[in-house]
Amino acid sequence: MALDIYKINPEFRDIMPQEIIDLEEKATWSVNRDTPRGIKELPDTKELLEEHSLCAGCPEAAALRYVLSALPKPEDTIIVNSTGCTSLMFPHIALHTVHSLFGNQNAVASGIKRVLDWRFPDIEKDVVVLAGDGATVDIGLDYTLQSFFRQENITTICFDNEVYANTGGQESGATAKGQVFKMAPLGKKFDKVPMWELATTSGCHYSVNMTASAPKAVAKAVREAILVAREIGPTFLNIYTPCILEIGLSANEGLGEMKDQDKDRFASYKYVSPEAEEFLKKCKEEGRI
Amino acid sequence: MSKRSDMTNTHNWSGQKLVSTDYLLFEAPREKHFMTGSEVLKEAMKRCTVDASVSYPITPQSEAAHLIGELWAEGYVGTYFRGENEFGVMSEVAGCAMAGARTVTTTSGPGTLRAMENFPQWSGTRIPCQLVLMARGINSPLTIQPDNLEVSFMLETGCMIWYAENVQELFDMSIAAFTVAEKPDVHVPIITVVDGFFVSHTREAVMLPADDIALEPYDPYRAPLPPIDSETPPGRFLRDPFVMKSNYISYATHASWQWEVRSAVERSRPYAEHYLKGLIHITGEEDAEIAFVTCGTASNQAKEAHRELMKLGIKTKVIKLRTIRPFPAKELLAAVEGIKHIFVPEFNVVGWLEKEVRKELYNKCEADIVGGPRVAGGMSMPAEAIIAEVMEKINPGKGA
């Protein structure tokens, strides 16, 4: 593993903004490798630059921090992302990431994971897909489900904002029925795709539908999902990160929107296969979660 | 199953002795076998210490793909699986290669186009994977017939493109392909093309070295971009702010990268010259005034036409292009010196090779270039069709 994932050129160090220096000093895994980071360390650590590319108040930025803080082994984790708002954040974190094409994230991740297992049979290497609902539910659905069918040992996280946000607000498969968006001028004609249920029936051993309103809950799900993917098989998290811009909310209203949806379209759903449950029980006994 | 950890300094994980490409291609004793193109590709990959392969069925490459799967089952290939479709497969190949694996896949015709977005992405990420393209017609209407129109679509993907005429060339080329693609100063994907059915399904005599020797393994840490394996800092390309931002630096970044990919293809020339023993191969009469510029099995048909024309006292020569990307412009120009008529026989409707030849010879050569004969849709190209084209040209109105 490489512990100098993020290094500032010494020649430029004196002109670098503090947040970039923080990203090297407080998010570099070598500093904390002996004491695994967790959600509790969020106030003192740096997962994502403040000057990231997302809109002010975007819940996705918060959700990404929760996800990164929960990675069990960040120095040996590859995140594969896809075209969309999620992909804009990745240049602003200190982690190995791959952006390939729109929708092929689970296929690329499958190749990476299989080769890492082949090249490093004695090292735990985690591969995590992190993409939006357009990439996961629409253009990339085939590749997402097929990776579940094939029992790839990867975790797929969908940041579901129920819209193609980065392209300007078009309906996606995850949009609620009846919602008016661009390209759905009379309202969306079919129901929101229940991706978490598809994940369960397609072979995932751990599938969750939730919002990003509660950091600890997100972190727990991420850690459990990655551990299960490492040992048992594919896992899936569907996390509501509303596009406040496209649904007409102010920068400070994202959290409230997520809390409202905790009881509605994103009411808690959790499936854990019997073998995953057994494994998680063992992890708990060993203090891994 | 095989384990990578079984590899030693002298032997790969399947127990084959590691040898240089030069030894494997030029020095190792060979024995005669009688095999189809698909079978011989298996034999080639067996000697390549391949880490990964992903497959998907499409005629006529299915047999080659499943034979590579058999190699995996026999312990010669590290990891192998069937993808969901060609777009998925080429994406999985990208993942495998980015993670540091010597990776091979095969496809044909419509599968090539289904996967199309991946090929410039392969070259843009500088992965040295190999696609063995067994060319076939493009729909619609539905066809499984031989045709090489699809190569036209591949020309500007930033990948190297080599073209094998027959089963023997397929064997040698597909081994050399990994070696050249993996050179640190090249390091771009390579597409080795054969005409589907004509080569994939044809059984020919082929000279093969023993199967207990194989290429040295791929070392991803010699790559110009580090592999995505968390062992080294990640490739800057995959981490830096996206070049879709609208500013001058973004434009310049993207532009310079495109030029760099194409420069990398150009830098493959000396290696290709060495391992292929020249980017072109010439047969026929040195003092001929008629030349056929060809690639693939059209070369074979042109040679047959050359033999028949010799009987009529008409001197011709066949200039076979082994590499299409990089295009052997200098070699072609030298080869057509003194030529008055150039014919470009092709197995496709658009005449992509004729366009390439015209582009490279424009204003540099006085010869009259004839784009033909040209067959498509799986039609065969009998030598008579080539002879008729020549006779019509040199003896107008009287035909052959």
Side-chain angles (χ1 to χ4, degrees), chain A residues 18-86:
Chain A
Q18 186 58 43
E19 62 170 352
I20 292 188
I21 293 172
D22 285 350
L23 193 61
E24 184 191 66
E25 293 179 348
K26 296 184 181 177
T28 308
W29 316 113
S30 56
V31 175
N32 296 295
R33 60 183 156 171
D34 297 328
T35 52
R37 304 170 70 214
I39 196 79
K40 285 180 189 166
E41 280 75 43
L42 266 187
D44 304 315
T45 55
K46 177 78 75 180
E47 286 78 25
L48 174 65
L49 297 181
E50 277 83 11
E51 288 195 14
H52 55 69
S53 309
L54 300 184
C55 304
C58 175
E60 200 165 276
L64 180 66
R65 294 193 67 200
Y66 308 157
V67 169
L68 296 182
S69 73
L71 297 174
K73 211 178 168 197
E75 67 274 20
D76 277 314
T77 301
I78 315 290
I79 294 190
V80 185
N81 62 79
S82 196
T83 308
C85 289
T86 45

Side-chain angles (χ1 to χ4, degrees), chain A residues 190-205:
Chain A
F190 60 97
D191 284 326
K192 178 180 177 69
V193 174
M195 195 58 208
W196 51 95
E197 291 176 9
L198 294 181
T200 298
T201 55
S202 302
C204 279
H205 291 267

Side-chain angles (χ1 to χ4, degrees), chain A residues 1-2 4-7 53 74-78 81 83 87-88 90-104 106-116 118-121 123 125 142-144 146-147 150 152 166, chain B residues 2-5 13 50-52 77-85 87-89 91-101 103 117-118 121 125 220-221 227-242 244-245:
Chain A
M1 65 185 171
D4 53 351
I5 291 169
Y6 194 89
K7 280 285 178 196
S53 309
E75 67 274 20
D76 277 314
T77 301
I78 315 290
N81 62 79
T83 308
S87 59
L88 296 179
F90 288 101
H92 309 299
I93 65 174
L95 207 69
H96 295 259
T97 69
V98 175
H99 178 271
S100 187
L101 304 173
F102 195 9
N104 74 344
N106 282 64
V108 172
S110 300
I112 291 175
K113 178 61 179 166
R114 286 183 182 238
V115 164
L116 294 183
W118 162 246
R119 291 186 58 213
F120 305 99
I123 304 176
K125 300 265 187 187
D142 186 5
Y143 314 101
T144 304
Q146 292 275 352
S147 73
R150 289 195 306 263
E152 304 289 350
N166 196 47
Chain B
S2 54
K3 287 190 294 184
R4 199 170 197 283
S5 51
W13 51 80
V50 173
D51 292 294
V77 171
T79 184
Y80 169 92
F81 63 106
R82 180 190 61 77
E84 52 272 63
N85 57 43
F87 181 86
V89 165
S91 304
E92 282 136 13
V93 163
C96 290
M98 285 176 187
T103 311
E117 191 185 359
N118 283 277
Q121 179 257 336
T125 47
Y221 300 118
I228 302 297
D229 60 7
S230 288
E231 297 298 308
T232 51
R236 305 293 305 171
F237 177 83
L238 297 165
R239 290 191 55 227
D240 282 350
F242 287 161
M244 58 184 169
K245 296 287 182 193

Side-chain angles (χ1 to χ4, degrees), chain B residues 59-341:
Chain B
T59 304
Q61 65 80 49
S62 304
E63 188 184 14
H66 80 63
L67 289 173
I68 295 173
E70 284 185 12
L71 276 184
W72 168 68
E74 293 162 10
Y76 291 95
V77 171
T79 184
Y80 169 92
F81 63 106
R82 180 190 61 77
E84 52 272 63
N85 57 43
E86 289 85 355
F87 181 86
V89 165
M90 302 313 158
S91 304
E92 282 136 13
V93 163
C96 290
M98 285 176 187
R102 178 177 285 159
T103 311
V104 66
T105 191
T106 52
T107 195
S108 291
T112 317
L113 270 66
R114 181 162 295 184
M116 203 67 189
E117 191 185 359
N118 283 277
F119 302 123
Q121 179 257 336
W122 281 5
S123 58
T125 47
R126 301 286 300 273
I127 52 173
C129 60
Q130 179 172 191
L131 165 66
V132 180
L133 179 58
M134 295 178 158
R136 154 191 158 178
I138 299 293
N139 303 342
S140 256
L142 175 64
T143 179
I144 61 163
Q145 303 305 325
D147 195 318
N148 66 16
L149 174 59
E150 66 196 288
V151 180
S152 176
F153 294 86
M154 304 297 276
L155 291 174
E156 310 311 333
T157 55
C159 300
M160 287 187 286
I161 299 175
W162 291 0
Y163 219 121
E165 177 188 354
N166 51 38
V167 170
Q168 183 71 60
E169 276 196 351
L170 174 61
F171 177 83
D172 294 325
M173 240 183 214
S174 58
I175 292 172
F178 281 129
T179 306
V180 175
E182 292 166 7
K183 294 287 181 189
D185 53 342
V186 179
H187 223 270
V188 285
I190 186 156
I191 300 166
T192 40
V193 189
V194 291
D195 293 313
F197 292 110
F198 294 144
V199 177
S200 60
H201 287 54
T202 299
R203 198 172 292 277
E204 290 177 6
V206 56
M207 300 298 289
L208 303 182
D211 63 4
D212 60 354
I213 55 175
L215 289 184
E216 295 275 352
Y218 171 53
D219 178 5
Y221 300 118
R222 295 178 69 228
L225 288 178
I228 302 297
D229 60 7
S230 288
E231 297 298 308
T232 51
R236 305 293 305 171
F237 177 83
L238 297 165
R239 290 191 55 227
D240 282 350
F242 287 161
V243 293
M244 58 184 169
K245 296 287 182 193
S246 299
N247 61 46
Y248 180 75
I249 291 175
S250 303
Y251 305 146
T253 301
H254 201 262
S256 61
W257 194 251
Q258 290 192 44
W259 284 114
E260 164 55 13
V261 168
R262 280 147 186 84
S263 299
V265 172
E266 291 301 310
R267 291 196 293 269
S268 71
R269 283 179 190 274
Y271 304 116
E273 276 169 8
H274 174 71
Y275 291 113
L276 302 182
K277 293 188 172 173
L279 306 187
I280 67 173
H281 183 251
I282 303 173
T283 48
E285 307 310 302
E286 271 188 25
D287 58 345
E289 293 184 346
I290 294 171
F292 303 107
V293 180
T294 60
C295 65
T297 49
S299 315
N300 199 281
Q301 299 306 97
K303 287 176 197 168
E304 184 62 24
H306 154 75
R307 283 188 285 270
E308 292 302 316
L309 286 164
M310 277 291 286
K311 293 176 191 169
L312 300 173
I314 301 170
K315 291 180 176 178
T316 64
K317 66 176 169 182
V318 179
I319 305 165
K320 179 173 73 172
L321 310 186
R322 287 193 168 114
T323 64
I324 307 298
R325 290 289 181 271
F327 193 85
K330 187 183 67 173
E331 293 83 350
L332 176 62
L333 190 59
V336 296
E337 192 180 346
I339 294 291
K340 288 186 177 164
H341 302 289

Side-chain angles (χ1 to χ4, degrees), chain A residues 148-221:
Chain A
F148 300 161
F149 299 152
R150 289 195 306 263
Q151 293 290 292
E152 304 289 350
N153 287 91
I154 58 180
T155 294
T156 303
I157 301 173
C158 175
F159 276 175
D160 181 1
N161 58 14
E162 303 191 307
V163 65
Y164 282 88
N166 196 47
T167 44
Q170 296 82 26
E171 71 150 85
S172 81
T175 300
K177 188 176 182 180
Q179 175 82 40
V180 174
F181 269 143
K182 291 158 198 160
M183 299 188 185
L186 296 177
K188 192 190 173 208
K189 298 293 186 190
F190 60 97
D191 284 326
K192 178 180 177 69
V193 174
M195 195 58 208
W196 51 95
E197 291 176 9
L198 294 181
T200 298
T201 55
S202 302
C204 279
H205 291 267
Y206 186 96
S207 176
V208 166
N209 186 34
M210 67 192 313
T211 76
S213 66
K216 280 185 188 172
V218 173
K220 181 170 185 282

